[in-house]
Amino acid sequence: MTPPVLVVAAALVDDLDAPTALLAARRRQPVSLAGRWEFPGGKVEPGEDPEAALHREIREELGVGLTLGTELPGPDDGCWRLSDRYVMRLWLAAVAEGEPEPLVEHDALLWLPRGEWLTVPWLDADVRIVSALAAATETGDRLPDPR
């Protein structure tokens, strides 16, 4: 059996210490996913460090540099299972330079205020991640850094 492909993504928030807004990115393609919202990110290339891959993907997709915060570990061996073929690792992140723009995979970006994070039609696999992220940041406390 082929191991799943690792995808990395950023939960871009307005403030790593006390997030009050989350950036959602609307898919442009493929047709089966178009119009649904997701965390920006992408596949890790063979031999590439996951955090380096995340910086590369966000620069390509949104044209910004990041400050990475805490990783939100998933229930599937530390990852979030997206499908039989893909697993995802997700980090809280803040924009360090630039202004996010939908450059490649997306046709719109939306900053969602706290309490409205689940008001857009997220990709099915991302719904439980958004819910977990909302619960983990609900108190306004910074997530503990597992390192």
Side-chain angles (χ1 to χ4, degrees):
M1 188 166 147
T2 306
V5 174
L6 178 60
V7 173
V8 290
L12 275 165
V13 293
D14 60 329
D15 185 320
L16 289 173
D17 291 322
T20 61
L22 173 67
L23 186 77
R26 189 172 63 195
R27 291 289 308 216
R28 174 188 329 214
Q29 56 187 345
V31 172
S32 62
L33 303 178
R36 305 283 300 276
W37 297 80
E38 69 176 358
F39 296 104
K43 296 176 195 158
V44 176
E45 299 295 333
E48 188 176 28
D49 174 77
E51 290 183 17
L54 182 56
H55 283 282
R56 175 185 52 76
E57 285 286 343
I58 298 303
R59 173 95 40 214
E60 290 172 4
E61 288 189 7
L62 304 180
V64 298
L66 294 178
T67 298
L68 288 187
T70 303
E71 183 174 358
L72 181 66
D76 309 310
D77 295 323
C79 295
W80 297 91
R81 181 160 293 286
L82 302 177
S83 70
D84 291 339
R85 293 185 53 211
Y86 298 100
V87 294
M88 184 169 74
R89 290 178 61 188
L90 179 86
W91 282 264
L92 281 178
V95 174
E97 61 178 70
E99 186 66 34
E101 297 179 57
L103 300 176
V104 180
E105 302 288 334
H106 307 104
D107 62 6
L109 302 176
L110 182 61
W111 284 101
L112 299 167
R114 177 181 297 290
E116 296 180 22
W117 291 2
L118 288 163
T119 60
V120 297
W122 290 90
L123 294 178
D124 293 343
D126 285 358
V127 171
R128 72 180 179 145
I129 305 169
V130 177
S131 295
L133 182 63
T137 60
E138 193 169 74
T139 62
D141 296 335
R142 186 176 186 152
L143 292 172
D145 192 333
R147 291 179 225 168

